[in-house]
Amino acid sequence: MESNRIDRDDAAAQLAALQADRAALADRVVPPWWYDVALGLLLFGFLSSYAFDSLWVTFPALVVFLGCLGVMVSAYKRITGVWVNIDSRSMALWCAIYLPVLIGAFVLAEGYDQRWAMVVAGAVLGTAVTLFGRHWSRAYAAELRGQR
């Protein structure tokens, strides 16, 4: 009967190869600097379009926003070779920031006719997604390297 047992040296070599692959992946998963900036600007532009209180402005802004997101996802996959999903803890943190800002802006814009609130919300959330995007991708890369 043949045995598929791996000796200690082979196992150590395979583990070292896996760690090297994880380190190489960690170098690839952090997107270029422009990626998070572009995402923040897109979010700012889309949310700011609500200040015009016109579907003739907001709907094209939505189409541009979604189209550019599709291009950015494709670019990220092409550049890195992978797609990274955000973990539930990070998503909960994002929602804890995103929802109060967006709801507050909608209340001011729709309930009190203060359309400028959507521009402010766009600036706040655009900046937040830029900064959090950089933080999350670097934290994921550190985790892959075993530094977290």
Side-chain angles (χ1 to χ4, degrees):
M1 180 175 257
E2 187 176 329
S3 174
N4 288 333
R5 295 183 55 180
I6 298 175
D7 67 2
R8 180 172 252 148
D9 293 335
D10 286 341
Q14 288 177 0
L15 282 174
L18 285 173
Q19 288 172 338
D21 287 346
R22 285 177 66 100
L25 180 61
D27 292 337
R28 286 194 340 240
V29 296
V30 177
W33 68 269
W34 57 263
Y35 188 87
D36 294 310
V37 172
L39 183 59
L41 289 172
L42 283 171
L43 185 58
F44 168 71
F46 172 63
L47 291 178
S48 295
S49 73
Y50 278 87
F52 291 97
D53 194 27
S54 170
L55 283 178
W56 292 103
V57 175
T58 303
F59 184 71
L62 175 64
V63 171
V64 169
F65 178 68
L66 293 176
C68 288
L69 282 181
V71 169
M72 288 179 64
V73 167
S74 296
Y76 182 83
K77 286 180 179 179
R78 186 174 17 84
I79 291 167
T80 65
V82 296
W83 180 251
V84 178
N85 291 319
I86 192 168
D87 62 14
S88 58
R89 181 174 162 240
S90 298
M91 182 56 78
L93 174 62
W94 173 243
C95 288
I97 293 166
Y98 186 82
L99 290 175
V101 171
L102 192 60
I103 290 169
F106 269 125
V107 166
L108 286 172
E110 297 297 326
Y112 297 97
D113 203 30
Q114 301 294 314
R115 302 281 173 212
W116 57 266
M118 293 306 293
V119 177
V120 173
V124 168
L125 294 175
T127 302
V129 79
T130 300
L131 296 176
F132 285 140
R134 294 309 293 168
H135 171 74
W136 288 326
S137 60
R138 289 180 179 161
Y140 182 61
E143 182 180 321
L144 286 172
R145 286 187 185 98
Q147 298 170 345
R148 186 175 174 200

